[in-house]
Amino acid sequence: MGLEILRNEIEKAGPSTVHKLYEWAAKNPDKKFLYYGEDDRALSFAEFNTATNQIAHFLKSMGIVKGDSISVYLFNPFVTSVVMIGIWKTGAVFCPINFSYKGRLLSYQINDTAPKALITEQSRVSFLNEVKSELPALKVLLRKPKRDEHDHRVDSMELDRKFEQIDFDDMLKGNGANLDTEINYWDTASIMYTSGTTGPAKGVVHSHRWISQYIFPSRLVTHEDDVKYSDLPMYHISGAYAAVARVIWTGSNIAIWDRFSPSDFWNRIHRSGASSASLMDVMMPWLMNAAETSKDRYNSLKWVHMQPLPKYHHKIARRFGFDVVTVGYGSTETGMPIWGCIDELEGEEGTPGELYRGLPKASIFRIFQEYGYPVFTGTEELKKGIMGKAVLFESAILNERDEILGPGGYGQLAFRSKLSFGLMSGYFKKPEATLEAHKNQWFHTGDACYRDENDIYYFIDRMGNFIRVRGENVSTYQIEDILNTHPGVEVSAAFPIPAQEGDEDDIVVYVLLKQEGGLGEDELRNWITAEMPKFMWPKHIRFINAFPQTATNKIEKYKLKEIILKELASN
């Protein structure tokens, strides 16, 4: 499909999520928009539109103007959804904070964003009070859950008087009329922070156009009758945009819960009638580990996005009757520039007809192909790390001199947007980091990938996670992926340290066992010898009771490296 057609498609859809909400609230005011499973509560498009208007009018009465940053430190995704759209309706910037942050992580992000106000809830008060000396005298809109709400807690801690406390409920009592704020596609919509494993986190600046391109592939095939299930956090692009924003753009329906529950997942799908969901890596094994029943296929989920795509994707799709599986490459900086689709069941029925919602699966595959996205079959052998094709972006694999590599060449994945403001607008207040990421007019993802002769892209590992051993580039991802298949291993972490001899690396692995003492080093080494090529064998193996982690649950390998180097030096 030509660039001009794609550009027209994006522009025809409108400049922002706010415009789409106004449109659907006028067209289908009584249609259910959002169902919140934790409190068994639902809002129609009209009700949601009114609530977000009330919040916007209140914020404007506080002096909030277009371009101001508003920090949002909330756990409740229902409330966060209303707040996010209300902020956008003023032209202000949605700045979500990971609800597990406290201490320096919390104060750093608030101070870096420099918000005009902060919206939070009672359960976060103690964390704010702990860092009060590091924060300015903020205006804090404080939500106190009511007794009939599931997140009500008996918590008498008061917000420190340094902060100007404002009752959150006051925002929902005023003017519910639509606003006339001018919102352009190039205006800043949000600042979302990446995890910092080796330094301070960076705020990624998103335009309203960025959100539109991020959800472009998924909204192509989302019908008004579809129901999106989400249990992903709203401080992440997957929860805020791939779920909530996408449903607003398409006039469909969303059912949200606070967090994933393997024991309650299918009950939630049945309650909501969800037709699509996203399953992250840890979720799929939990679902597959449940005992099989004759009713596994009797559910309404026709379309599941799997990221990353597991080797057993076809097995899980056949068991639960997923007609459509999508894959892709997504990041906070780039959105979803690469996308692909798998026809898992081909001519076989997956979702029972009486439960099926939205476009027929044949139409879904046809639309993806018309726009240039690849459609694979579930029975074909798909290479590990498969992601799909880029449509709205120029894409390339670059070497260390930013020269484009041909098919099969391993290098860094890079993009150029074909649309203005299609990529992130930059790293907030970090111009040097922004320029470095965009050097030579390519956005450098920091991910090692390759492409094949059909321009299908494959993920290998994060750059810097290569280990040079015996003349081979070894991926830490590959080592961990193999180790984690051992029945006694819960999770592992691999990384390099300087080799005792020569200029290459020695491999170190730290292992968390499913049962403490259930596996010895000799036994594990014997297993590794049988499962891995020799150049991947670790020089050092250590067992650990708990991994050091960032606030977003990423293993802090640099801390493990410090431990092993200190140990080896002392010996």
Side-chain angles (χ1 to χ4, degrees), residues 292-341:
E292 292 191 41
T293 75
S294 59
K295 296 183 179 180
D296 280 348
R297 276 204 180 191
Y298 195 77
N299 68 81
S300 55
L301 272 186
K302 67 172 185 185
W303 167 19
V304 171
H305 186 76
M306 297 184 183
Q307 200 158 333
L309 184 73
K311 290 181 179 179
Y312 55 89
H313 63 91
H314 187 57
K315 184 177 180 181
I316 190 172
R318 287 198 61 80
R319 175 175 171 181
F320 297 111
F322 301 152
D323 296 286
V324 180
V325 166
T326 52
V327 295
Y329 173 87
S331 75
T332 310
E333 290 91 343
T334 63
M336 189 68 74
I338 293 177
W339 186 265
C341 178

Side-chain angles (χ1 to χ4, degrees), residues 139-248:
K139 293 181 179 179
V140 176
L141 294 119
L142 180 61
R143 171 182 174 260
K144 295 185 177 183
K146 299 176 178 59
R147 291 187 179 276
D148 61 345
E149 294 177 313
H150 82 287
D151 51 352
H152 172 75
R153 300 288 185 274
V154 179
D155 185 351
S156 59
M157 179 172 286
E158 296 292 330
L159 184 68
D160 192 271
R161 291 187 177 183
K162 175 178 182 175
F163 306 112
E164 180 184 343
Q165 180 176 326
I166 302 169
D167 189 346
F168 178 89
D169 288 343
D170 288 346
M171 290 200 291
L172 298 170
K173 297 176 180 177
N175 188 352
N178 289 351
L179 290 83
D180 59 1
T181 310
E182 181 182 2
I183 303 173
N184 303 298
Y185 73 79
W186 58 83
D187 290 332
T188 298
S190 64
I191 302 173
M192 289 193 173
Y193 282 73
T194 60
S195 299
T197 54
T198 59
K202 297 188 290 290
V204 179
V205 181
H206 297 145
S207 67
H208 287 282
R209 165 68 61 80
W210 186 97
I211 298 171
S212 176
Q213 71 80 7
Y214 172 53
I215 60 175
F216 179 74
S218 58
R219 61 186 170 90
L220 282 175
V221 296
T222 300
H223 188 271
E224 291 179 43
D225 293 338
D226 277 312
V227 178
K228 168 72 174 175
Y229 167 84
S230 179
D231 50 31
L232 302 173
M234 290 290 292
Y235 59 76
H236 194 276
I237 58 174
S238 296
Y241 304 151
V244 176
R246 167 184 141 197
V247 169
I248 293 174

Side-chain angles (χ1 to χ4, degrees), residues 70-74 80 83 87 94-98 117-120:
I70 308 292
S71 288
V72 178
Y73 185 41
L74 292 166
T80 309
V83 164
I87 290 171
F94 171 61
C95 303
I97 301 172
N98 185 324
L118 182 145
I119 302 175
T120 190

